[in-house]
């Protein structure tokens, strides 16, 4: 089983739709969780951190479910510019121990007019 | 502006040559990372460094080498021992909340 698993997609949805991605992780001791966005042939960019209580940034909502060991990303009122690959990242880094940052393989999202 | 720079953006290498990819950051971050990304694939860790003069192998270190003589700089050398070096190489550092910041990447092609 992979340490971090994502549905690779592609998700092809119409503009204005709501779309949700899930990401599961295997290490129950994981500490930090993030969603990154990667455009074609570009570097990943931080979209949002994921907090235990859930957090929202405009049209984007991130949730963490520690009991079931998954995180989710919800995009409301999707725009054409949301088309990208979304990477789930799990960080087991401790301040006194070596970092263990695990990237999912990414979920491709394509928004159609 | 604070950030991470990588150079060159595109690099072409002949088989049997060593090449060095540059990574510089002015974010005052201690930890830096090198990843490789192949088309349609996720990121794979090559090397990382927690502090100056210290670095650790990642999951795919064979055929690569690094140095960390300065906090700001973490160059990666792709040696002739790396059998399939054509890929997109990404350098990153880590912030105080464990979030990673990436450079724009170097696309290496072996001719």
């Amino acid at each position: 089983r992979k340490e971090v698993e994502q549905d690779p997609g592609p998700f092809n949805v119409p503009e204005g739709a709501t779309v949700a991605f899930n990401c599961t992780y295997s290490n129950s001791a994981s500490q930090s969780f993030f969603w990154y966005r990667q455009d074609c042939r570009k570097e990943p960019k931080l979209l949002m951190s994921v907090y235990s209580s859930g957090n929202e940034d405009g049209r984007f909502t991130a949730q963490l479910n520690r009991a079931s060991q998954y995180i989710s990303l919800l995009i409301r009122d999707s725009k054409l510019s949301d088309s990208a690959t979304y990477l789930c990242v799990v960080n087991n880094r401790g301040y006194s121990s070596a970092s263990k940052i695990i990237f999912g393989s990414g979920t491709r999202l394509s928004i159609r007019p | 502006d604070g950030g991470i720079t990588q150079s060159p953006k595109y690099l072409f290498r002949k088989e049997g040559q060593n090449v060095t990819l540059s990574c510089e950051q002015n974010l005052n971050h201690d930890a830096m990372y090198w990843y490789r990304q192949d088309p349609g694939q996720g990121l794979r860790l090559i090397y990382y460094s927690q502090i100056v003069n210290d670095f650790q192998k990642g999951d795919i270190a064979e055929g690569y080498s690094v140095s960390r003589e300065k906090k700001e700089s973490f160059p990666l050398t792709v040696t002739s021992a790396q059998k399939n070096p054509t890929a997109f190489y990404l350098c990153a550092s880590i912030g105080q909340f464990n979030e990673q910041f990436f450079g724009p990447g170097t696309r290496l092609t072996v001719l």
Side-chain angles (χ1 to χ4, degrees):
Chain A
R1 182 187 173 187
K2 288 185 181 178
E3 291 183 88
V4 174
E5 290 199 73
Q6 291 184 252
D7 182 340
F11 285 60
N12 189 323
V13 302
E15 195 173 7
T18 295
V19 60
F21 311 133
N22 276 349
C23 168
T24 59
Y25 60 96
S26 60
N27 187 343
S28 59
S30 298
Q31 299 167 337
S32 307
F33 308 88
F34 306 91
W35 283 103
Y36 281 75
R37 171 198 169 121
Q38 186 174 25
D39 293 292
C40 188
R41 302 178 71 81
K42 298 284 189 180
E43 75 274 23
K45 293 188 176 177
L46 180 65
L47 180 64
M48 57 197 305
S49 303
V50 187
Y51 303 123
S52 298
S53 55
N55 47 302
E56 188 174 308
D57 183 2
R59 298 182 292 108
F60 299 84
T61 300
Q63 297 276 356
L64 167 64
N65 185 319
R66 285 193 181 272
S68 300
Q69 293 182 206
Y70 75 84
I71 65 172
S72 62
L73 177 68
L74 181 77
I75 306 175
R76 291 181 298 278
D77 188 23
S78 54
K79 312 291 184 190
L80 295 176
S81 57
D82 293 334
S83 296
T85 296
Y86 291 83
L87 304 173
C88 164
V89 180
V90 175
N91 188 337
N92 300 331
R93 184 172 188 251
Y95 291 103
S96 60
S97 63
S99 184
K100 181 72 171 175
I101 302 171
I102 316 294
F103 283 80
S105 297
T107 298
R108 284 178 51 205
L109 173 65
S110 179
I111 308 296
R112 63 179 187 270
Chain B
D1 283 338
I4 300 178
T5 57
Q6 290 185 245
S7 62
K9 187 173 181 179
Y10 299 97
L11 184 58
F12 298 90
R13 189 194 95 170
K14 293 181 180 178
E15 285 198 25
Q17 280 183 335
N18 292 355
V19 290
T20 297
L21 282 56
S22 167
C23 177
E24 304 279 331
Q25 56 103 354
N26 61 4
L27 299 166
N28 200 33
H29 290 164
D30 287 315
M32 297 184 73
Y33 300 78
W34 273 106
Y35 294 93
R36 167 184 173 138
Q37 188 175 36
D38 293 282
Q41 304 296 315
L43 277 67
R44 292 187 290 166
L45 181 64
I46 304 172
Y47 267 98
Y48 64 97
S49 169
Q50 297 281 92
I51 56 172
V52 174
N53 292 322
D54 181 70
F55 48 82
Q56 306 294 330
K57 292 182 179 180
D59 301 317
I60 56 165
E62 186 175 349
Y64 300 97
S65 65
V66 294
S67 63
R68 188 84 187 277
E69 297 176 2
K70 298 187 300 182
K71 187 175 187 177
E72 301 80 17
S73 179
F74 191 38
L76 173 75
T77 297
V78 184
T79 74
S80 57
Q82 170 48 237
K83 298 305 178 191
N84 187 20
T86 295
F88 187 39
Y89 290 88
L90 289 158
C91 179
S93 65
I94 196 162
Q96 61 175 324
F97 300 113
N98 292 337
E99 73 280 27
Q100 282 198 308
F101 299 90
F102 287 87
T106 292
R107 203 163 292 276
L108 173 64
T109 302
V110 173
L111 303 174

